[in-house]
Amino acid sequence: MLRCTRPFVASSLALLTALVMAPPAGAVAATHQPTLGTKGANLAAPTESIVRPLAATQGCQALLDSGKGDCAAVKTATGDLIVTVEAGPKIQPELATRPWVVRVYRPTTAIPDGSPDGWEVALSTHGDGTDPGPLYAGVTAKVADVTGDGHDEIVVGYRAEGTGEILDFDVVGADAAGAPQLLAHDTVYKGNVRTRNGHLVEYEPVYRRADANCCPTWIERNDLDFQDGVFHVEKIWKVKTKQAEIPPSDIG
């Protein structure tokens, strides 16, 4: 499901239920970690050109291949973008996993009929005409300010099926010319990610050697703050799982 801060609302996947606004009792102090890169991202420049008309009177749903899916217009600091999310058929009836196609469009005048209302695919999970897209149980696109500039970016969360509940996510902004730009990618095992007040917050388990997959000893919170063109990862606290109150993820 597609989510944005205004006006889309959808359900989310939760580990627990309460939003933690301050470090819990017994939390370990913050430390700094390296920055996030873009390696492993699902979104990339497409290998084939896709340009489509979209009149000002039409909704972004007109850009969906099947007519079924989610979309949103995004006003970045340097121009407008559109993000679309479409699910393919399940790979097995008893599983939720299916291929997904996510596209990020930018305005263009390079359209055959000369229409001024053309939109071009600039980033996509769908590499070419034979590629069905990456396999996940669910994909969520959210529109929110996560760089602290007062303008929106796109965060796409890809949730895998299975006990690991692995969450991949891509962050997309726009460059100085208004073109979509991949800003970051990360993978969180059995964790949650939230957009909050101009940055991203990760909650993930920390296991001791003898811990079962279900029962990590610790829960760690990391804040992802955008500075100098990259996301810096800061460990805010680490607390015993029994004491942790983790909010639901809002990107899948």
Side-chain angles (χ1 to χ4, degrees):
M1 294 292 294
L2 179 113
R3 299 178 190 158
C4 59
T5 54
R6 47 189 183 275
F8 292 86
V9 178
S11 62
S12 59
L13 183 66
L15 292 177
L16 296 172
T17 55
L19 177 61
V20 177
M21 300 301 291
V28 177
T31 59
H32 290 273
Q33 288 186 324
T35 58
L36 288 184
T38 59
K39 184 178 180 180
N42 283 303
L43 287 166
T47 57
E48 60 179 5
S49 176
I50 300 176
V51 178
R52 293 175 173 169
L54 183 69
T57 56
Q58 291 180 292
C60 57
Q61 291 84 358
L63 295 176
L64 298 170
D65 289 338
S66 64
K68 297 180 180 179
D70 293 302
C71 67
V74 187
K75 290 190 175 297
T76 74
T78 55
D80 293 341
L81 305 175
I82 291 176
V83 58
T84 63
V85 179
E86 296 181 81
K90 293 182 180 180
I91 59 172
Q92 295 182 29
E94 65 274 15
L95 299 178
T97 299
R98 60 188 68 200
W100 293 82
V101 176
V102 180
R103 293 187 176 118
V104 180
Y105 289 81
R106 65 172 299 185
T108 182
T109 57
I111 191 165
D113 65 3
S115 168
D117 300 314
W119 289 81
E120 176 184 18
V121 177
L123 294 173
S124 178
T125 60
H126 186 67
D128 56 43
T130 61
D131 179 9
L135 298 176
Y136 288 97
V139 173
T140 300
K142 176 157 184 174
V143 178
D145 176 17
V146 295
T147 63
D149 66 351
H151 299 274
D152 286 333
E153 289 80 37
I154 303 166
V155 185
V156 184
Y158 313 85
R159 181 70 77 171
E161 196 161 22
T163 59
E165 300 177 13
I166 296 170
L167 178 64
D168 290 285
F169 66 90
D170 297 335
V171 183
V172 177
D175 64 17
Q181 179 182 22
L182 189 62
L183 299 178
H185 170 81
D186 202 8
T187 299
V188 184
Y189 182 83
K190 217 176 183 67
N192 283 9
V193 177
R194 290 191 63 86
T195 59
R196 180 173 171 228
N197 299 332
H199 65 278
L200 288 161
V201 180
E202 291 181 342
Y203 299 88
E204 58 183 329
V206 178
Y207 290 87
R208 286 180 174 174
R209 182 173 298 179
D211 287 349
N213 184 60
C214 67
C215 309
T217 296
W218 302 89
I219 297 293
E220 183 175 86
R221 170 179 161 171
N222 299 325
D223 280 11
L224 310 182
D225 294 313
F226 194 73
Q227 301 173 27
D228 302 321
V230 293
F231 281 93
H232 296 260
V233 182
E234 182 179 5
K235 290 185 179 182
I236 301 300
W237 49 252
K238 185 173 73 173
V239 67
K240 289 291 184 70
T241 301
K242 292 181 180 180
Q243 300 172 319
E245 295 181 329
I246 310 301
S249 178
D250 62 359
I251 63 164

